[in-house]
Amino acid sequence: MQPINRMKIEFESKSVNESFARIVAAAFASQLDPTIEELADLKTAVSEAVTNAIIHGYEQQEGLIFMECILYEDSITVKITDHGVGIEDIEKARIPAFTSKPELERSGMGFSIMESFMDSLFIASEKGAGTKITMTKKFSKR
Amino acid sequence: MQPINRMKIEFESKSVNESFARIVAAAFASQLDPTIEELADLKTAVSEAVTNAIIHGYEQQEGLIFMECILYEDSITVKITDHGVGIEDIEKARIPAFTSKPELERSGMGFSIMESFMDSLFIASEKGAGTKITMTKKFSKR
Amino acid sequence: MLEITLKRQNRVLTVYLKGELDHHAVSKVKETIDLQLVKMPLSQLILDMSAVSFMDSSGIGLIVGRYNKMKCLGGSMKIKNPGLNILKVLKMSGLSKLMEIS
Amino acid sequence: MLEITLKRQNRVLTVYLKGELDHHAVSKVKETIDLQLVKMPLSQLILDMSAVSFMDSSGIGLIVGRYNKMKCLGGSMKIKNPGLNILKVLKMSGLSKLMEIS
Ligand SMILES: Nc1ncnc2c1ncn2[C@@H]1O[C@H](COP(=O)(O)OP(=O)(O)O)[C@@H](O)[C@H]1O
Ligand SMILES: Nc1ncnc2c1ncn2[C@@H]1O[C@H](COP(=O)(O)OP(=O)(O)O)[C@@H](O)[C@H]1O
């Protein structure tokens, strides 16, 4: 399928940018006229991935986060990338309630939420190099 | 002065992205808690520059538009760049009501609006290479 | 998305716009109004902008274009109920000297 | 920006949150509540979420953390008035099995 629109953004790994990233993704997706619930799901998933890049990827230090959004006829693909520490064991990271940072009161539900709120979730990561999350959400035809 | 936050975005030269670019700039600027009027001014200026890139820079053909936003303590700098046709005579282009595309019902007021709604406006352009608009707006202390 | 609603009373056409009036939205408004102009003779075109939340110079171009057409046809044009931020753009472009804004 | 309002009645503390409850907002809420927990003994903590427009798993972490503290102190916790999208996150995280949501 041909993309009908796309954009790329990079921003600093600051927690104040979590809501900014959600607004950007939702504003772009709104070109497809999604329902309020679909838009809320997308915002939540984007928030999870961006928060992970900030907390886990860059361990709350400085760094750049990259987000790419690609619109198709009836779906959006969002890619969120950091050049942070990377994930050693992706299978383990995906287990619901698993977190490597319980001391920060993380719930370990981030990946579970991304998986259930989006239609597909791919995680590519390399220890010491970074992490790239690719998620797609279909929007209902109206 | 040290920037407190920054972001860079690139998107396609499609008119549907005019409103998207406005939302992105306004969402980022809102971190500084500007007034509603200041935010409206910023949105209008961004809209002018992005529309110009689409209509004049890329003459409504495909192309990429780049926007960079830099936040300082009490101001935002926005840079909007296209790799389009460029401007031959910048002095002439800045004259209120001058437009090279009257057949498209352009009013020629774009640069005048950017100048009056923002606190500074720089235009860098090279024939055949593209155009870069740099605008700054100060936000009132509250 | 910009919504356009038309109301015609005798030779007066009122166009109600709702949403954001930028370059993306302008062409549809232009087409819609110009189609009316060829359909029946009009003495006045009223643009009601009470529900326009955003306008940039593309809107100015649209208004000036319709103003010129109405003048050619021997009619007039006026603008109604612009919000504060819209009024700012109208004034800065000198449109407030060209036609009635109320 | 997230707004936090506290109401204390006897040994029940109600925390009203307004805005978006994400990782950025969580630390202030945590500090505010935990300060109350050390001030005076509490039998119940109520989180009123009627004005929370967004919540992700950082909010879940916050709630579980406060739930565990209340349990340690021999008290309980409940959640009130979450909107539909908030409820979806609460349910998917299994929180609805841990405490009362009404
Ligand atoms: N961008 C990332 N970089 C490095 N590690 C990550 C990243 N995202 C997730 N992880 C790892 O995967 C684990 C599970 O993530 P998640 O399900 O979102 O839960 P949480 O963020 O609550 O820990 C994290 O605890 C962390 O160890
Ligand atoms: N990004 C651009 N690339 C090429 N030419 C431009 C660009 N922006 C502005 N111009 C030139 O400057 C002129 C004046 O621009 P402006 O004041 O915005 O009015 P308008 O867009 O209504 O023509 C345009 O008509 C065009 O010739």
Side-chain angles (χ1 to χ4, degrees):
Chain A
M1 239 193 317
Q2 275 299 103
I4 57 172
N5 205 353
R6 60 197 311 156
M7 66 91 175
K8 274 185 202 175
I9 188 166
E10 61 181 80
F11 52 88
E12 297 182 356
S13 62
K14 296 187 152 87
S15 67
V16 69
N17 290 334
E18 290 158 6
S19 68
F20 173 64
R22 296 196 292 270
I23 296 174
V24 171
F28 202 63
S30 70
Q31 293 181 4
L32 297 182
D33 195 24
T35 65
I36 291 176
E37 191 182 355
E38 286 164 347
L39 219 48
D41 289 353
L42 175 71
K43 279 171 119 170
T44 310
V46 166
S47 195
E48 297 295 352
V50 170
T51 302
N52 278 353
I54 293 172
I55 297 184
H56 302 299
Y58 292 117
E59 301 188 293
Q60 312 202 55
Q61 306 297 306
E62 267 179 44
L64 283 179
I65 298 170
F66 303 82
M67 179 167 78
E68 184 177 354
C69 295
I70 307 159
L71 295 186
Y72 298 92
E73 196 69 28
D74 61 355
S75 69
I76 185 169
T77 295
V78 183
K79 301 179 187 185
I80 291 166
T81 304
D82 66 68
H83 298 154
V85 300
I87 305 176
E88 189 138 25
D89 184 343
I90 296 180
E91 282 321 299
K92 196 166 138 197
R94 289 183 84 133
I95 297 172
F98 169 80
T99 179
S100 58
K101 297 233 189 296
E103 74 280 9
L104 294 181
E105 294 196 337
R106 302 302 301 162
S107 64
M109 294 304 294
F111 281 137
S112 306
I113 287 179
M114 288 181 239
E115 205 163 343
S116 101
F117 284 27
M118 301 290 279
D119 290 297
S120 74
L121 167 69
F122 293 98
I123 305 168
S125 191
E126 204 184 314
K127 192 82 189 149
T131 302
K132 180 177 193 166
I133 305 297
T134 304
M135 317 184 269
T136 293
K137 186 164 185 70
K138 282 206 161 208
F139 295 133
S140 53
K141 287 252 167 62
R142 296 208 271 177
Chain B
M1 241 193 316
Q2 275 298 103
I4 57 172
N5 205 353
R6 59 197 309 156
M7 67 91 172
K8 275 184 201 175
I9 188 166
E10 60 180 80
F11 52 87
E12 298 182 356
S13 61
K14 296 185 152 84
S15 67
V16 70
N17 289 334
E18 290 157 6
S19 67
F20 172 64
R22 294 196 293 269
I23 295 173
V24 170
F28 201 63
S30 70
Q31 294 182 4
L32 298 181
D33 195 24
T35 66
I36 291 175
E37 190 181 357
E38 286 165 347
L39 219 49
D41 289 352
L42 176 71
K43 279 171 119 170
T44 310
V46 167
S47 195
E48 297 296 349
V50 169
T51 302
N52 278 353
I54 293 172
I55 298 184
H56 303 297
Y58 292 118
E59 300 187 295
Q60 312 203 54
Q61 306 297 305
E62 268 179 46
L64 282 179
I65 298 170
F66 303 82
M67 180 167 77
E68 185 177 352
C69 295
I70 308 160
L71 294 186
Y72 298 92
E73 197 68 27
D74 61 355
S75 69
I76 185 171
T77 296
V78 182
K79 301 179 186 185
I80 291 165
T81 305
D82 66 67
H83 298 155
V85 300
I87 305 176
E88 190 140 24
D89 184 343
I90 295 180
E91 283 321 299
K92 196 166 137 196
R94 287 183 85 134
I95 297 171
F98 169 81
T99 180
S100 58
K101 297 231 188 300
E103 72 281 9
L104 294 180
E105 296 195 338
R106 303 300 303 160
S107 65
M109 294 304 294
F111 281 137
S112 306
I113 286 179
M114 290 180 240
E115 205 163 342
S116 100
F117 284 27
M118 302 291 279
D119 290 298
S120 74
L121 167 69
F122 292 97
I123 306 168
S125 190
E126 203 184 316
K127 192 84 190 152
T131 300
K132 179 176 193 165
I133 304 298
T134 304
M135 315 185 269
T136 293
K137 187 162 184 71
K138 283 208 160 207
F139 297 133
S140 53
K141 287 252 167 64
R142 295 210 272 176
Chain C
M1 288 301 301
L2 190 88
E3 282 173 42
I4 312 169
T5 312
L6 302 176
K7 272 193 194 142
R8 192 168 191 143
Q9 232 184 354
N10 300 322
R11 296 174 53 144
V12 177
L13 175 69
T14 306
V15 180
Y16 297 86
L17 300 179
K18 186 178 172 180
E20 305 201 318
L21 187 54
D22 62 4
H23 161 244
H24 181 68
V26 144
S27 55
K28 204 183 136 203
V29 184
K30 186 180 151 179
E31 257 175 48
T32 308
I33 295 179
D34 287 0
L35 186 68
Q36 294 296 316
L37 299 193
V38 298
K39 267 189 177 169
M40 261 193 283
L42 281 181
S43 65
Q44 191 170 47
L45 173 65
I46 302 175
L47 208 58
D48 189 307
M49 306 194 74
S50 51
V52 175
S53 54
F54 174 87
M55 186 183 80
D56 62 16
S57 76
S58 301
I60 300 298
L62 172 88
I63 294 170
V64 172
R66 303 295 78 54
Y67 170 85
N68 288 336
K69 283 217 167 171
M70 284 307 293
K71 251 181 65 178
C72 268
L73 298 167
S76 68
M77 176 169 179
K78 67 181 186 189
I79 294 173
K80 265 194 171 165
N81 307 319
L84 275 187
N85 55 334
I86 311 296
L87 195 60
K88 195 169 171 181
V89 178
L90 291 172
K91 280 195 176 157
M92 125 111 252
S93 313
L95 270 202
S96 44
K97 283 165 210 149
L98 212 60
M99 67 191 86
E100 193 189 322
I101 301 177
S102 60
Chain D
M1 287 303 299
L2 189 88
E3 282 173 42
I4 312 170
T5 311
L6 301 177
K7 272 194 193 143
R8 189 165 193 147
Q9 232 186 351
N10 302 322
R11 296 174 52 148
V12 177
L13 175 69
T14 306
V15 180
Y16 298 85
L17 300 179
K18 185 177 173 182
E20 305 201 318
L21 187 54
D22 62 4
H23 160 245
H24 181 68
V26 144
S27 56
K28 203 183 137 204
V29 183
K30 187 179 151 180
E31 256 174 49
T32 309
I33 295 179
D34 288 0
L35 186 68
Q36 294 295 315
L37 298 194
V38 296
K39 267 191 180 167
M40 260 193 284
L42 281 181
S43 64
Q44 191 169 49
L45 174 65
I46 301 175
L47 207 58
D48 189 308
M49 306 193 73
S50 51
V52 175
S53 55
F54 175 87
M55 185 184 79
D56 62 16
S57 76
S58 301
I60 300 298
L62 172 88
I63 294 170
V64 172
R66 303 295 78 53
Y67 170 84
N68 288 336
K69 283 218 168 171
M70 284 307 293
K71 249 181 67 179
C72 269
L73 299 168
S76 68
M77 175 170 178
K78 67 181 188 190
I79 294 173
K80 266 194 169 166
N81 307 320
L84 276 186
N85 54 335
I86 310 296
L87 195 59
K88 196 169 170 181
V89 178
L90 291 172
K91 280 194 175 156
M92 126 110 255
S93 314
L95 270 201
S96 44
K97 283 165 209 148
L98 211 60
M99 68 191 84
E100 192 188 322
I101 301 178
S102 60

